[in-house]
């Protein structure tokens, strides 16, 4: 049947053997038009956005997974021919699994399933369940064992010795879905690329980008709809800081005057923290004061990447400070950084201090320009 029956259409008279009113499948297909799609005619299974994103968690009560309340959409056929089921888990639900293996580890797949008695089952009761894989030193995920008309919520790696599911490593693998026309949240490029046939004007929310910008598909590529650059400024609110030459000294920058778009301030490291990988502009202002003069002063910008500290290439600045004169130097450059990089400043100069607050002394700014590679 090319034209499906509509929703809430009254059946024909009692004498008609094939009533023309609404049937469940037609209703599900009609509802598909209200849900975002991965492709034309294929609604997007997933969970509607909510604040709590840890849907499946472990339990201290033993080998039990806990599934939190959520609302979702599920397609019962990969091609979308059976429409979409709109459903809800309205209470915290425990889903038991098997004890941990004696050796090695195994994958548990936590899923939700919606069978239908008139199509593929003797029951229409929804199910929250777990499929256990085979334990080994290099376990494989039992994806092929997932039941028909199910949707995968989480993958959990259970290792020998785990006494509760809190000890397991649980990954949330469900996807976001939204009403049609609403930007679709995606965690990364891989999830974005699951949109098989994006159309001009389709919008996503790039959760892995600074400021989580809305991006629109146009001209065969994804572009920011409204640029929301990440920005951070940190400066010094204290007074004099003595620096002993020739040792490099990290500036005691102790305050972030401005943080936008996910840039964080690490007070202990005296650093701005990069929110997401990309290309950033750095502006460093070196301010030297004090009575000592007639010597060279030097400044540089550093980064700490997972414990490895190095100089930001090209940030080295040198200048001459005359006796009793304050000196200011500014360096600007653009470099690629990774998520979590900590950016801070160092100087070398005997008996000098810098700054009072904010823009009046030494400070460092970090501005997101764009992706370091094509998105």
């Amino acid at each position: 049947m090319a034209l499906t029956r509509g929703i809430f259409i009254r059946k024909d008279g009692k004498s008609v053997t094939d009533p023309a009113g609404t049937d469940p499948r037609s209703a599900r297909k009609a509802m598909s038009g209200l849900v975002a799609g991965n492709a034309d005619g294929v609604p997007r299974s997933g969970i509607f956005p909510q604040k709590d994103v840890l849907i499946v968690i472990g339990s201290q009560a033993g080998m039990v997974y806990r599934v939190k309340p959520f609302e979702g959409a599920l397609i019962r056929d990969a091609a979308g021919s059976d429409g979409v089921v709109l459903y809800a888990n309205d209470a915290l639900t425990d889903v038991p699994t098997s004890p941990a293996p004696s050796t090695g580890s195994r994958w548990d797949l936590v899923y939700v399933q919606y069978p239908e008695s008139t199509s593929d089952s003797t029951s229409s009761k929804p199910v929250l369940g777990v499929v256990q894989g085979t334990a080994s030193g290099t376990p494989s995920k039992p994806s092929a064992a997932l039941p028909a008309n199910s949707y995968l919520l989480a993958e959990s790696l259970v290792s020998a010795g785990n006494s509760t599911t809190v000890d397991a490593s649980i990954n949330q693998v469900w996807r976001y879905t939204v009403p049609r026309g609403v930007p679709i949240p995606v965690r990364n490029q891989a999830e974005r690329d699951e949109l098989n046939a994006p159309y001009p004007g389709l919008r996503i929310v790039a959760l892995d980008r600074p400021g989580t910008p809305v991006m629109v598909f146009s001209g065969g590529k994804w572009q920011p709809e409204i640029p929301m650059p990440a920005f951070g400024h940190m400066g010094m609110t204290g007074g004099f800081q003595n620096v002993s030459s020739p040792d490099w000294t990290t500036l005691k920058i102790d305050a972030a005057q401005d943080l936008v778009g996910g840039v964080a301030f690490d007070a202990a490291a005296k650093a701005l923290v990069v929110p997401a990988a990309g290309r950033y502009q750095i502006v460093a202002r070196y301010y030297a004061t004090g009575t000592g003069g007639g010597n060279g002063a030097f400044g540089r910008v550093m980064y700490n990447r997972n414990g490895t500290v190095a100089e930001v290439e090209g940030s080295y600045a040198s200048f001459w400070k005359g006796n009793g004169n304050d000196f200011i130097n500014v360096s600007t450059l653009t470099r690629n950084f990774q998520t979590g990089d900590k950016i801070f400043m160092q100087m070398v100069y005997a008996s000098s201090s810098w700054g009072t607050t904010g823009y009046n002394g030494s400070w460092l700014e970090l501005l997101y320009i764009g992706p370091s590679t094509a998105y």
Side-chain angles (χ1 to χ4, degrees):
M1 181 173 63
L3 188 62
T4 63
R5 299 172 184 176
I7 300 179
F8 309 130
I9 300 298
R10 188 184 300 275
K11 294 182 179 181
D12 284 348
K14 295 181 180 180
S15 61
V16 178
T17 58
D18 184 17
T22 302
D23 66 280
R25 176 170 290 179
S26 293
R28 290 195 299 270
K29 296 194 73 172
M31 294 293 288
S32 297
L34 301 179
V35 179
N38 280 343
D40 291 345
V42 183
R44 180 178 174 86
S45 290
I47 292 176
F48 290 99
Q50 60 184 50
K51 183 177 180 180
D52 191 349
V53 297
L54 298 178
I55 302 299
V56 179
I57 60 174
S59 171
Q60 294 280 13
M63 298 306 292
V64 174
Y65 296 104
R66 312 207 80 185
V67 182
K68 297 179 182 179
F70 68 92
E71 294 80 34
L74 183 148
I75 59 170
R76 289 173 25 88
D77 178 86
S81 63
D82 201 48
V84 64
V85 176
L86 301 178
Y87 67 98
N89 182 46
D90 63 359
L92 188 65
T93 304
D94 287 347
V95 183
T97 188
S98 302
S102 56
T103 60
S105 57
R106 74 158 192 268
W107 283 102
D108 282 358
L109 305 184
V110 184
Y111 66 88
V112 58
Q113 180 192 22
Y114 269 85
E116 187 187 56
S117 61
T118 58
S119 300
D120 49 56
S121 176
T122 58
S123 171
S124 294
K125 183 179 179 179
V127 176
L128 279 169
V130 180
V131 171
Q132 290 93 11
T134 301
S136 75
T138 55
S140 299
K141 298 173 184 176
S143 303
L146 286 168
N149 306 311
S150 65
Y151 182 70
L152 183 60
L153 297 174
E155 299 171 342
S156 176
L157 186 62
V158 181
S159 301
N162 291 165
S163 58
T164 71
T165 52
V166 170
D167 301 322
S169 178
I170 302 174
N171 300 319
Q172 312 289 323
V173 297
W174 51 269
R175 301 293 190 254
Y176 287 97
T177 193
V178 292
R180 186 165 296 189
V182 175
I184 303 171
V186 295
R187 298 183 183 96
N188 47 50
Q189 182 176 345
E191 289 190 11
R192 186 209 68 186
D193 291 344
E194 292 171 357
L195 299 167
N196 294 327
Y199 55 84
L202 179 63
R203 294 145 69 216
I204 63 170
V205 181
L207 299 178
D208 61 336
R209 293 287 168 178
T212 58
V214 174
M215 306 188 77
V216 62
F217 189 76
S218 176
K221 60 183 178 181
W222 295 93
Q223 302 180 27
E225 183 177 65
I226 301 176
M228 298 177 63
F231 174 79
H233 168 91
M234 66 179 189
M236 188 175 178
T237 60
F240 186 84
Q241 179 183 359
N242 191 22
V243 179
S244 297
S245 180
D247 296 327
W248 285 101
T249 301
T250 298
L251 302 194
K252 292 181 179 178
I253 291 177
D254 58 0
Q257 280 83 21
D258 198 0
L259 297 175
V260 177
V263 176
F265 176 64
D266 186 328
K270 307 173 185 64
L272 293 172
V273 184
V274 174
R279 194 161 185 82
Y280 289 79
Q281 175 180 276
I282 293 175
V283 180
R285 184 180 192 262
Y286 308 96
Y287 174 68
T289 189
T291 58
N295 290 304
F298 308 93
R300 64 183 183 181
V301 179
M302 306 292 290
Y303 68 89
N304 184 326
R305 180 171 297 163
N306 298 321
T308 300
V309 178
E311 179 183 337
V312 176
E313 184 179 357
S315 68
Y316 185 88
S318 62
F319 45 91
W320 184 266
K321 181 186 181 305
N323 188 29
N325 296 325
D326 294 349
F327 195 94
I328 296 173
N329 197 8
V330 178
S331 64
T332 302
L333 66 156
T334 59
R335 293 293 182 268
N336 294 332
F337 292 111
Q338 297 181 11
T339 304
D341 284 353
K342 296 180 180 181
I343 316 299
F344 59 98
M345 295 175 65
Q346 291 185 338
M347 284 185 66
V348 170
Y349 184 72
S351 299
S352 65
S353 67
W354 33 87
T356 51
T357 59
Y359 290 92
N360 295 324
S362 289
W363 46 254
L364 182 67
E365 290 184 343
L366 185 70
L367 175 66
Y368 176 76
I369 296 176
S372 53
T373 58
Y375 184 38

